Amino acid sequence: MLITALAGVLMRRLNSLNEVADQSLLKVTINLLIPCFIFDKLLGNPATENPSNLLLAPTIGFLTIAFGIGIGLLMAGWSGIKAPVERKTFGFSAGIYNYGYVPLPLALALFDRETVATLVVHNIGVDVAFWVFGAMVFARQDQPLWRKIIRPPVFAIALTIALNFAGLADSVPQLIIHTARMIGACAIPMGLILTGAMVADLMKEFRTEGGTRVMFLACLIRLLIVPIGFIVLARFLPATVELKRVIILQAAMPAAVFAILASKHFGGHPPTALRVVLATSIVGFVTIPIWIRYGMQFAGLEMP
């Protein structure tokens, strides 16, 4: 994953992937590659037949984002930030964990197809929480909420689950299945390359002056306080093994890179979001395997 992201950094440095191409490639990734990835992973997957995964997973996704943002906003004053918009950006960025490009390949590498499917469904709740709390925290209403939520990935989830429940998964032509699989296989690599390219741009604006306290507090919240709450939830929540694994994966995640772009969209303070994302991502290389290993043990689950 890191090497793929670094490829994006290199492509930007060589000007082989310029900023003009970012928006088009991002739209292709969100509107085509990710829906195909979802279709491939959910179609005929037994995890989607469990009501707990279908109902509880997105609820947990929504509530964990609410919990993270709440903690971030409550502790934002300790960062030394004075401007209200910067405090809001800090709380929002520290509360949004990486729920796509990092946990998806990790779930594929560590667990089974059922866990990946549960993660995809769980992310519906995260996506809803992202737009709901983004609009609430930054108080910007530039378009109806439903238009932000009902996007091709959500449509792909709804369509695939409907096919599964109707017993039509086996009736889908193999040509469509194989095509979706080939296209979907590009989703995570393309997302990581774009992420690397965007980080390369933002690094030009990065300054540590006055940001050390912000970065330390972000790591304290995102990589210590919040993970403890998630892992306790994974142990005591009456949920499937797949959902418990998803909760532990998300407990270990750093702040989402998309929080930087979101801060621009919502009218926040991108440099603050950048500090939160970079600090938690760098420290996360050390803490992610620790939280996954000990989180699995604490929740009474076996390591793969």
Side-chain angles (χ1 to χ4, degrees):
M1 291 182 293
L2 175 61
I3 295 175
T4 307
L6 288 176
V9 174
L10 180 61
M11 293 288 283
R12 180 69 99 227
R13 296 299 188 196
L14 296 174
N15 201 33
S16 297
L17 175 59
N18 57 45
E19 296 181 37
V20 177
D22 284 356
Q23 288 302 316
S24 295
L25 290 176
L26 190 59
K27 288 179 181 179
V28 169
T29 301
I30 292 174
N31 296 329
L32 177 63
L33 304 186
I34 291 179
C36 286
F37 176 87
I38 290 170
F39 184 83
D40 175 49
K41 299 305 176 186
L42 291 189
L43 187 68
N45 196 312
T48 62
E49 300 172 4
N50 191 315
S52 176
N53 289 338
L54 285 179
L55 299 176
L56 188 57
T59 301
I60 292 299
F62 185 92
L63 294 177
T64 50
I65 290 294
F67 173 72
I69 292 176
I71 294 293
L73 291 174
L74 283 173
M75 298 182 65
W78 297 4
S79 66
I81 297 173
K82 302 298 182 184
V85 68
E86 293 182 30
R87 288 192 179 191
K88 291 178 180 180
T89 303
F90 175 86
F92 183 78
S93 302
I96 300 289
Y97 49 75
N98 194 312
Y99 60 98
Y101 296 139
V102 177
L104 276 171
L106 276 177
L108 284 167
L110 295 176
F111 303 117
D112 49 31
R113 190 165 175 257
E114 288 76 12
T115 302
V116 174
T118 304
L119 175 61
V120 169
V121 176
H122 162 277
N123 286 351
I124 298 175
V126 176
D127 212 26
V128 172
F130 175 87
W131 293 110
V132 168
F133 291 111
M136 289 174 61
V137 170
F138 296 101
R140 177 180 172 181
Q141 297 290 345
D142 58 337
Q143 61 175 289
L145 182 62
W146 69 267
R147 291 187 62 185
K148 299 176 181 179
I149 297 172
I150 305 302
R151 299 184 298 165
V154 175
F155 177 77
I157 292 170
L159 172 64
T160 313
I161 290 175
L163 289 173
N164 290 346
F165 267 92
L168 298 175
D170 293 335
S171 301
V172 177
Q174 288 297 311
L175 176 62
I176 293 177
I177 294 174
H178 290 314
T179 301
R181 184 166 299 157
M182 287 190 295
I183 296 175
C186 303
I188 292 174
M190 179 60 73
L192 289 171
I193 289 171
L194 284 172
T195 298
M198 292 175 188
V199 169
D201 290 337
L202 291 165
M203 283 299 294
K204 301 173 185 176
E205 306 173 15
F206 183 71
R207 298 289 186 276
T208 57
E209 293 86 349
T212 303
R213 193 170 173 182
V214 170
M215 293 187 288
F216 174 79
L217 185 62
C219 291
L220 181 66
I221 294 171
R222 181 73 267 157
L223 302 177
L224 181 61
I225 297 174
V226 171
I228 290 173
F230 280 30
I231 289 172
V232 170
L233 177 66
R235 174 164 182 168
F236 295 105
L237 183 72
T240 63
V241 171
E242 293 83 11
L243 182 52
K244 287 176 178 284
R245 289 171 178 167
V246 168
I247 294 171
I248 291 168
L249 270 180
Q250 300 294 26
M253 289 300 103
V257 174
F258 196 60
I260 301 169
L261 303 179
S263 67
K264 294 181 180 180
H265 173 76
F266 288 120
H269 190 250
T272 298
L274 176 61
R275 291 188 179 104
V276 172
V277 171
L278 281 181
T280 58
S281 297
I282 292 170
V283 178
F285 281 114
V286 177
T287 60
I288 286 173
I290 295 174
W291 279 121
I292 291 176
R293 175 173 294 278
Y294 289 103
M296 293 284 287
Q297 292 179 1
F298 183 78
L301 303 176
E302 294 183 3
M303 283 295 296

